């Protein structure tokens, strides 16, 4: 399936994006966050011993229909929890608990409208049987695992990704599995197979094992070469595999999945303690770049030569200032352990920033115990600068999954992080931002209502920044909702949409500081929060 393309052009007669870059981004504005965990009403922690050393995700999505994102927090051996968003626009964060999704043994979750009925569903990764929870509206859910023909298995599931393949009305789901709890030789070399669940009519067919598998902790579908055929990229934890490496799978319509190899495809062997994947066009070359979290060995991979057609990547983490391999605060000089990564424009200056959740696996003596989360601000020159401490998000808790998301719909991104053996934390962005913003949602009739696999392109003068709309990646944490873009000094945005069926929409002009719903063949629909 060729994803839809959204072209977002920054328009500003007073200040070009080049001028904004040189002026503001040499010293990027530091956003200010205030922790509101206690007053917001969050009271969930990710509990459990060795079977819960990985995972610990959060899902954000609107199940109430009011546009505000709810929070689903995984609890491990403690109950998971769905928190209804009761915040007011621009106000303090407020959430109300509900028993709708109080599941046990939850490691992570990803929102996805599987049956395309307009009510958000939830893919729940568990220690044991995974579950597909069908949304019924008004934040009510029903277990549809059996009725949808989905084999939940009995594994230690830690990664997820979804895509609609060409001609299909149901998505293809990829599930990443970790070590075998029952293996006598545990833990070394006991990685279990990942699964590919393709549709079979109006339900899922039997899962296809992705052999070999090397203890996946993150996966994402990506059209890495802009061929129109997304591939499945998998990040693996080298702690538990033998002779393994990072992986990518061909996914061609009607064909069995096929592993990229060095001999046949030019895929180069890479071994890391792979924890999470974040994808964005950081280099503005028109192709997705990949940030891979690990233990003291984080990577920022860029395609060396797109014209070659080979998935051969160079690591530019060091020269970009995003190695994030040791703590920058807290006095602990041992190596860091990185989990959930996410690109987002947190200061609305039209340049991407990078958040990384950090935390020791447990009490590993060779790695930092005081390991604060990173907030790396893009400078517009290809480099990033650390601002986690000055922004106020440098928590020393043992963090895992996270989401950078606008929780109170004021145009400023907020932050929620799940912690192991400690309460999840939430921060509201409370500082004044000079930059403008726009938020959009794509809605199309029929299958794949939220246009998963779409590409959003932002034009900065003669440069185009591309964003793939994905379901997957991160570390056990997913989001579905408003797509946020910082606009810097621009007061409006010009955009067009190429929908998955190839239909090109007309060029549109949208005002900044607003929410807009876009549908094929329809004028943009302005939307305003009502509280």
């Amino acid at each position: 399936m060729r994803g839809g393309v959204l072209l977002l052009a920054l328009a500003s007669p007073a200040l070009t994006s080049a001028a904004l870059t040189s002026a503001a981004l040499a010293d990027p504005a530091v956003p200010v966050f205030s922790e509101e965990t206690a007053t917001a009403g969050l009271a969930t922690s990710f509990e459990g011993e060795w079977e819960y050393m990985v995972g610990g995700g959060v899902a954000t999505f609107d199940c109430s229909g009011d546009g505000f994102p709810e929070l689903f927090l995984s609890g491990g051996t403690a109950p998971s929890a769905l928190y209804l968003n009761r915040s007011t626009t621009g106000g303090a964060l407020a959430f109300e608990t509900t028993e709708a999704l109080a599941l046990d043994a939850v490691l992570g979750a990803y929102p996805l409208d599987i049956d395309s009925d307009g009510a958000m569903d939830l893919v729940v990764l568990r220690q044991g049987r995974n579950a597909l929870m069908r949304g019924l509206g008004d934040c009510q859910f029903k277990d549809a695992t059996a009725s949808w023909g989905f084999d939940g298995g009995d594994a230690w599931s830690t990664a997820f990704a979804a895509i609609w393949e060409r001609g299909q009305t149901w998505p293809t789901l990829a599930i990443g599995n970790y070590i075998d709890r029952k293996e006598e030789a545990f833990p070394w070399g006991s990685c279990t197979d990942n699964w590919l669940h393709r549709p079979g009519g109006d339900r899922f067919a039997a899962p296809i094992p992705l052999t070999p598998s090397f203890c996946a902790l993150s996966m994402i579908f990506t059209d890495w070469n802009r061929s129109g055929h997304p591939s499945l990229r998998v990040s693996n934890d080298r702690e538990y595999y033998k002779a393994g490496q990072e992986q990518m799978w061909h996914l061609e319509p009607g064909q069995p999945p096929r592993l990229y190899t060095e001999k046949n495809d030019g895929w180069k062997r890479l071994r890391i303690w792979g924890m999470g994947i974040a994808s964005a066009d950081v280099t503005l070359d028109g192709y997705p770049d990949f940030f891979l979290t690990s233990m003291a060995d984080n990577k920022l991979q860029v395609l060396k030569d797109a014209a070659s057609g080979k998935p051969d990547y160079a690591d530019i983490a060091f020269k970009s200032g995003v190695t994030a391999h040791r703590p920058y605060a807290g006095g602990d000089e041992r190596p860091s352990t990185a989990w959930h990564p996410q690109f987002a424009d947190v200061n609305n200056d039209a340049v991407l920033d990078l958040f990384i959740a950090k935390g020791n696996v447990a009490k590993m003596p060779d790695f930092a115990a005081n390991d604060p989360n990173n907030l790396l601000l893009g400078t517009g020159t290809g480099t990033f600068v650390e601002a986690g401490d000055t922004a106020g998000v440098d928590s020393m808790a043992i963090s895992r999954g996270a989401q950078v998301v606008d929780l109170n719909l004021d145009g400023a991104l907020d932050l929620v992080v799940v912690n192991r053996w400690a309460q999840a934390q939430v921060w509201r962005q409370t500082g004044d931002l000079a930059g403008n913003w726009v938020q959009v949602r794509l809605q199309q009739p029929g299958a794949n209502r939220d246009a998963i696999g779409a590409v959003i392109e932002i034009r900065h003068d003669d440069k185009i920044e591309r964003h793939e709309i994905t379901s997957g990646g991160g570390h056990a944490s997913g989001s579905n909702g408003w797509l946020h873009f910082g606009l810097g000094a621009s007061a409006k945005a010009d955009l067009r949409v190429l929908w998955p069926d190839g239909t090109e929409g007309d060029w549109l002009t949208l005002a900044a500081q607003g929410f807009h719903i876009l549908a094929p063949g329809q004028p943009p629909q302005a939307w305003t929060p009502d509280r």
Side-chain angles (χ1 to χ4, degrees), residues 54 107 125-128 130 151-160 174-181 190-197 207-210 213-219 234-237 247:
V54 299
L107 293 159
L125 304 179
R126 298 175 69 243
Q127 186 66 265
N130 298 320
D151 184 350
D154 186 27
W156 182 342
S157 296
T158 47
F160 173 80
I175 301 289
N177 295 317
Y178 204 49
I179 56 180
D180 186 353
R181 308 184 308 278
S190 61
C191 298
T192 54
D193 278 338
N194 302 325
W195 302 319
L196 190 71
H197 299 259
I208 302 168
L210 296 175
S213 293
F214 301 122
C215 290
L217 286 178
S218 190
M219 48 179 42
V234 185
S235 194
N236 299 308
D237 184 0
Q247 295 173 298

Side-chain angles (χ1 to χ4, degrees), residues 82-93:
L82 176 65
Y83 289 87
L84 306 182
N85 195 335
R86 303 306 190 201
S87 310
T88 57
T89 306
L93 301 179

Side-chain angles (χ1 to χ4, degrees), residues 417-433:
V417 178
V418 171
N419 298 315
R420 190 179 186 196
W421 299 322
Q423 274 191 339
Q425 294 172 281
V426 64
W427 289 265
R428 176 168 65 99
Q429 191 171 165
T430 55
D432 294 327
L433 293 178

Side-chain angles (χ1 to χ4, degrees), residues 66-318:
D66 62 5
F68 287 78
E70 270 71 52
L71 301 179
F72 175 74
L73 303 179
S74 55
T77 57
S80 60
L82 176 65
Y83 289 87
L84 306 182
N85 195 335
R86 303 306 190 201
S87 310
T88 57
T89 306
L93 301 179
F95 293 91
E96 176 187 337
T97 57
T98 172
E99 296 297 317
L101 288 169
L103 307 173
D104 64 352
V106 174
L107 293 159
Y110 290 82
L112 184 72
D113 189 356
I114 293 171
D115 57 355
S116 300
D117 66 352
M120 194 59 61
D121 311 309
L122 194 66
V123 179
V124 182
L125 304 179
R126 298 175 69 243
Q127 186 66 265
R129 175 181 173 271
N130 298 320
L132 301 184
M133 305 301 296
R134 183 186 181 193
L136 304 176
D138 197 26
C139 292
Q140 298 298 307
F141 295 84
K142 178 181 180 181
D143 192 334
T145 309
S147 61
W148 283 347
F150 182 79
D151 184 350
D154 186 27
W156 182 342
S157 296
T158 47
F160 173 80
I163 196 71
W164 267 259
E165 295 187 70
R166 183 176 300 168
Q168 296 294 335
T169 57
W170 278 58
T172 291
L173 310 182
I175 301 289
N177 295 317
Y178 204 49
I179 56 180
D180 186 353
R181 308 184 308 278
K182 307 178 188 67
E183 173 62 49
E184 291 182 3
F186 169 82
W188 318 117
S190 61
C191 298
T192 54
D193 278 338
N194 302 325
W195 302 319
L196 190 71
H197 299 259
R198 278 176 153 165
D202 58 353
R203 53 194 287 120
F204 291 98
I208 302 168
L210 296 175
T211 305
S213 293
F214 301 122
C215 290
L217 286 178
S218 190
M219 48 179 42
I220 191 170
F221 285 106
T222 174
D223 189 4
W224 65 273
N225 58 357
R226 299 175 61 175
S227 67
H229 299 291
S231 302
L232 177 64
R233 180 151 188 168
V234 185
S235 194
N236 299 308
D237 184 0
R238 67 177 296 175
E239 185 75 13
Y240 298 109
Y241 60 65
K242 293 179 179 178
Q245 58 175 299
E246 297 292 281
Q247 295 173 298
M248 191 158 68
W249 293 83
H250 292 273
L251 193 69
E252 297 164 353
Q255 300 297 317
R258 176 171 55 89
L259 194 63
Y260 281 81
T261 66
E262 184 166 5
K263 179 180 179 180
N264 296 328
D265 307 287
W267 177 258
K268 297 297 178 61
R269 187 170 186 260
L270 174 65
R271 292 163 58 91
I272 61 174
W273 288 273
M275 312 291 201
I277 304 174
S279 173
D281 183 13
V282 178
T283 57
L284 302 181
D285 66 353
Y287 293 86
D289 308 311
F290 300 95
F291 188 78
L292 311 176
T293 56
S294 182
M295 301 171 73
D297 194 20
N298 303 304
K299 307 291 187 183
L300 179 55
Q301 292 194 324
V302 299
L303 197 60
K304 289 182 181 179
D305 181 10
S308 72
K310 295 182 178 180
D312 188 7
Y313 287 86
D315 177 25
I316 63 168
F318 180 77

Side-chain angles (χ1 to χ4, degrees), residues 341-370:
Q342 187 172 342
F343 287 104
D345 186 358
V346 296
N347 53 7
N348 286 343
D349 61 4
V351 176
L352 286 174
D353 311 304
L354 175 62
F355 174 79
I356 310 171
K358 292 282 194 67
N360 200 301
V361 174
K363 297 179 181 179
M364 297 185 71
D366 294 333
F367 292 86
N370 294 327

Side-chain angles (χ1 to χ4, degrees), residues 365-380:
D366 294 333
F367 292 86
N370 294 327
D371 201 0
N373 301 325
N374 296 97
L375 182 60
L376 294 154
L377 301 179
T379 66

